[in-house]
């Protein structure tokens, strides 16, 4: 499960980066995107938050479990 979370986090970060780059590219070309386009990166950002927090706390939870088993 942990490996899947890491791969999912990696691909989500790539998606987020590409969406943000596309928005800035449109702005750089002088085109104003529709207002809802600015909300598109929020879904990958939310998923990055969830998976990032999972990966951050994983070592602490594993350490606590090892400590209880001893």
């Amino acid at each position: 499960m942990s490996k899947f979370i890491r791969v999912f986090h990696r691909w989500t970060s790539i998606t987020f980066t590409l969406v943000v780059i596309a928005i800035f590219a449109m702005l750089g070309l002088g085109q104003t995107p529709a207002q809802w386009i600015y909300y598109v990166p929020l879904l990958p950002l939310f998923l990055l938050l969830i998976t990032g927090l999972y990966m951050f706390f994983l070592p602490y939870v594993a350490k606590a479990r090892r400590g209880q088993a001893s």
Side-chain angles (χ1 to χ4, degrees), residues 10-66:
R10 188 175 302 128
W11 282 105
T12 306
S13 67
I14 291 170
T15 303
F16 172 76
T17 304
L18 291 176
V19 168
V20 171
I21 288 172
I23 290 172
F24 276 102
M26 288 178 68
L27 290 172
L29 294 173
Q31 299 175 352
T32 304
Q35 193 67 28
W36 63 270
I37 293 293
Y38 295 109
Y39 295 108
V40 171
L42 292 179
L43 177 62
L45 190 60
F46 177 73
L47 294 172
L48 285 171
L49 173 69
I50 299 299
T51 56
L53 286 173
Y54 171 80
M55 289 189 298
F56 178 80
F57 285 110
L58 190 62
Y60 298 108
V61 172
K63 184 178 178 182
R65 286 182 183 168
R66 281 195 309 262

